[in-house]
Amino acid sequence: MYVAVKGGEKAIDEAHAWLAHERRGDPATPVLDTAQIREQLTLSCYRVMAEGSLYDLDLAALAIKQARGDLIEAIFLIRAYRTTLPRFGVSAPIDTSAMLCLRRISATFKDAPGGQLLGPTFDYTHRLLDFTLLANGEAPLKRDERDSLAKGMASQSAEPLARVSDILGNDALLQAEPTGDEAPGDLTREPLEFPADRALRLQSLSRADEGFALSLAYSTQRGYGRNHPFIGELRVGVVEVSMEIPELGFSVVIGEMTVTECETVNQFVGSRKQPAQFTRGYGLTFGHTERKAIAMALLDRALRWEELGEDNVGAPAQDAEFVLSHADNIQATGFLEHIKLPHYVDFQSELELVRRLRAEAGQ
Amino acid sequence: MGLLARSGIEALRDAWGALNLSPEFEWLRAPETGAVMVRGRAGGSGKPFNLGEMTVTRCALRLLDDGVIGHAYVQGRDRSHAERAALADALLQTRHAEVVQRIVIAPLAEQLAAARAEQQDKAAATRVDFFTLVRGEDQP
């Protein structure tokens, strides 16, 4: 049992004042502007938005600044803020087929219709430190060269890029996605209970800690619930968000957002009645967060074992209760870090017990 | 309304400044910031699920001289952005519609189209062709 303590107000105030001072760092260095964080540490902002489960780049940048770059602390700030917002409604499901793709690759078809667009990627970089950045220099942007290159090539057509999964789906080589329009459960409104349906699992995975999702997804690749994933398609880009406005009685676009979508094509299922088909895993995350989206797709697929009639081999990634109950880094860090707080009374009782046991043993 | 919601705060402010109209109005709903739960679909085309929320600011107002009502639901937390969007929505239903269309809406549409085209060009410049290499196992 936790017994509360009181006191220490002055020390706490002093500690917070020092924290503010430390956050600012050496006053001889320029102040970090939230616009700089938003524009230059964008991938940190995306992670904070994805795991904070609130799409607002400026707030993510502010949270990162306030948290001194501690991303889980920043996610905590965003989660706390979102609880203060009234819910205006729910959007229509975003249409990722109509995405303006900044990046779109397929590891299954080299000639995917619309082509493979690498976009702004770290892939194929040499992972060598660029010391010109350390010297605060920037390599000159080869803008003119790139612009002329872009103009010389056929522009991305105004037509949306076809989904790779549709190509396989058309020949029934890929299992069709179950369709429907029933309202999904919302774990921000109702506590997560098990068994959790796929909609709840996807919501939970989309806001899951990237490190946790990555490690568990990796465990499936190493054999703990292996499901042989191929990246059918990975796309990063901008989608419109629309919502039906009650006072107008029709749907309008209320904004747009950058999202990452990953569709995996996995080991097939089949039976005497049903010819063999590939199966799917799905990842969708706020921002350009592709490591997370891929991990989400692998975990989504692993958690579908029952629905797909596979064996539960006892792998951690197949255990929805294990995965979803431990995926949220704010829940996890809340419980983990609370043990730093004073536990003097509980410890005293344990201490008494150990002393008594020792005394009894010594008699 | 969609265009006004997606426009940058500065872009709408500048276009609004160029319009040089300041109609009197009363609030039906003063600007307030809240969240909208954004949904996705499993597999992109399957059943819906809740992806996460986004910040949205909304307001509604009535023009005093002709009673026309304007609404706004705009992404983000900027109240003045929502106010301008609602005013533009109202004015588009009045005799000022043509001038609002010409001075506010058309330039914003152009800017968004240009930004979109630039992104598409940049992405097109990173289009890649992969070749699979012969590995040689079949050769004698």
Side-chain angles (χ1 to χ4, degrees):
Chain A
M1 187 184 71
Y2 185 76
V3 180
V5 293
K6 63 182 209 171
E9 289 88 348
K10 180 151 194 321
I12 292 169
D13 286 346
E14 287 295 327
H16 290 170
W18 193 6
L19 172 68
H21 196 264
E22 288 293 307
R23 184 186 57 67
R24 172 63 184 84
D26 181 354
T29 60
V31 174
L32 188 55
D33 190 340
T34 54
Q36 290 173 313
I37 297 173
R38 189 189 65 218
E39 298 300 320
Q40 297 177 46
L41 298 178
T42 315
L43 299 184
S44 294
C45 294
Y46 282 153
R47 180 168 176 189
V48 168
M49 290 197 316
E51 294 171 35
S53 206
L54 183 68
Y55 196 100
D56 189 314
L57 262 177
D58 291 315
L59 285 181
L62 167 62
I64 290 167
K65 176 171 172 168
Q66 187 178 331
R68 303 180 65 197
D70 179 339
L71 297 189
I72 291 186
E73 184 70 24
I75 292 160
F76 202 160
L77 293 170
I78 293 297
R79 289 277 186 93
Y81 175 81
R82 73 150 283 282
T83 63
T84 68
L85 295 173
R87 171 80 62 90
F88 290 167
V90 297
S91 82
I94 54 175
D95 181 6
T96 50
S97 306
M99 181 186 291
L100 166 65
C101 290
L102 308 180
R103 171 163 167 76
R104 187 274 198 135
I105 54 171
S106 171
T108 52
F109 292 109
K110 70 184 172 65
D111 299 318
Q116 309 244 7
L117 305 170
L118 293 182
T121 180
F122 291 123
D123 295 353
Y124 314 110
T125 62
H126 294 109
R127 267 74 183 207
L128 298 174
L129 281 172
D130 178 358
F131 288 97
T132 53
L133 297 176
L134 180 67
N136 239 350
E138 291 275 355
L141 291 175
K142 294 174 187 160
R143 178 166 282 280
D144 295 345
E145 195 181 322
R146 194 183 58 200
D147 283 355
S148 62
L149 183 67
K151 286 199 185 82
M153 301 186 60
S155 280
Q156 191 183 133
S157 83
E159 293 293 309
L161 294 171
R163 269 178 191 288
V164 169
S165 57
D166 288 347
I167 303 167
L168 281 168
N170 288 342
D171 296 334
L173 292 171
L174 181 65
Q175 207 172 52
E177 206 48 81
T179 53
D181 268 318
E182 53 266 46
D186 183 353
L187 59 83
T188 69
R189 293 295 158 108
E190 299 287 334
L192 192 57
E193 283 181 4
F194 298 96
D197 66 11
R198 190 166 177 217
L200 280 171
R201 299 198 304 254
L202 289 171
Q203 181 181 14
S204 172
L205 291 173
S206 188
R207 70 208 312 251
D209 182 75
E210 181 172 311
F212 180 82
L214 168 67
S215 294
L216 270 186
Y218 178 46
S219 77
T220 69
Q221 292 184 289
R222 289 194 65 251
Y224 295 86
R226 191 190 294 280
N227 53 45
H228 293 280
F230 291 99
I231 303 289
E233 183 166 0
L234 176 72
R235 47 170 75 190
V236 182
V238 181
V239 293
E240 288 182 343
V241 182
S242 63
M243 181 172 83
E244 185 169 314
I245 308 295
E247 49 270 43
L248 294 176
F250 56 86
S251 188
V252 298
V253 174
I254 56 171
E256 56 185 23
M257 55 173 52
T258 299
V259 294
T260 304
E261 182 184 51
C262 176
E263 290 189 272
T264 56
V265 175
N266 300 66
Q267 205 164 49
F268 34 86
V269 291
S271 63
R272 280 203 199 99
K273 285 180 235 157
Q274 176 77 44
Q277 276 186 317
F278 288 111
T279 57
R280 301 167 182 252
Y282 188 66
L284 182 66
T285 48
F286 283 161
H288 184 172
T289 40
E290 61 187 67
R291 185 183 301 116
K292 169 71 176 291
I294 298 168
M296 176 175 170
L298 265 57
L299 290 177
D300 170 48
R301 177 59 185 79
L303 291 170
R304 296 182 70 196
W305 65 271
E306 203 164 6
E307 165 195 347
L308 297 174
E310 293 173 337
D311 292 335
N312 183 346
V313 297
Q318 289 180 309
D319 183 343
E321 188 160 353
F322 178 81
V323 175
L324 305 182
S325 302
H326 301 112
D328 190 292
N329 52 25
I330 300 309
Q331 280 175 6
T333 205
F335 199 57
L336 183 108
E337 293 198 59
H338 103 281
I339 63 174
K340 293 185 294 189
L341 300 176
H343 280 68
Y344 306 132
V345 177
D346 356 13
F347 185 66
Q348 272 301 323
S349 72
E350 302 236 337
L351 194 60
E352 290 291 322
L353 180 63
V354 171
R355 281 192 177 131
R356 201 172 65 234
L357 290 171
R358 289 175 65 87
E360 283 166 12
Q363 276 169 8
Chain B
M1 283 179 78
L3 183 69
L4 293 163
R6 283 179 300 149
S7 296
I9 294 166
E10 293 81 15
L12 179 56
R13 189 176 54 213
D14 294 349
W16 188 259
L19 185 65
N20 203 19
L21 272 179
S22 44
E24 295 201 358
F25 65 89
E26 60 176 346
W27 289 118
L28 298 178
R29 175 190 272 149
E32 61 171 337
T33 298
V36 165
M37 176 54 88
V38 179
R39 287 189 175 157
R41 284 188 184 279
S45 57
K47 295 182 181 178
F49 69 95
N50 290 305
L51 174 62
E53 290 165 305
M54 66 187 275
T55 52
V56 171
T57 301
R58 68 177 175 187
C59 66
L61 49 80
R62 180 190 285 123
L63 300 181
L64 286 185
D65 64 348
D66 43 18
V68 170
I69 293 172
H71 293 280
Y73 274 74
V74 299
Q75 183 168 19
R77 290 163 296 108
D78 194 290
R79 282 152 201 246
S80 57
H81 187 67
E83 178 185 326
R84 290 184 197 107
L87 275 173
D89 180 49
L91 288 174
L92 281 167
Q93 306 166 57
T94 68
R95 64 196 154 83
H96 299 293
E98 187 276 328
V99 65
V100 174
Q101 182 68 39
R102 181 163 44 84
I103 296 184
V104 179
I105 304 296
L108 290 177
E110 265 174 41
Q111 283 175 33
L112 280 178
R116 204 179 160 89
E118 190 191 339
Q119 298 280 38
Q120 283 178 328
D121 283 350
K122 282 184 185 168
T126 66
R127 176 170 292 137
V128 67
D129 288 316
F130 289 113
F131 302 95
T132 41
L133 301 179
V134 176
R135 298 206 302 185
E137 293 101 323
D138 298 335
Q139 286 170 15

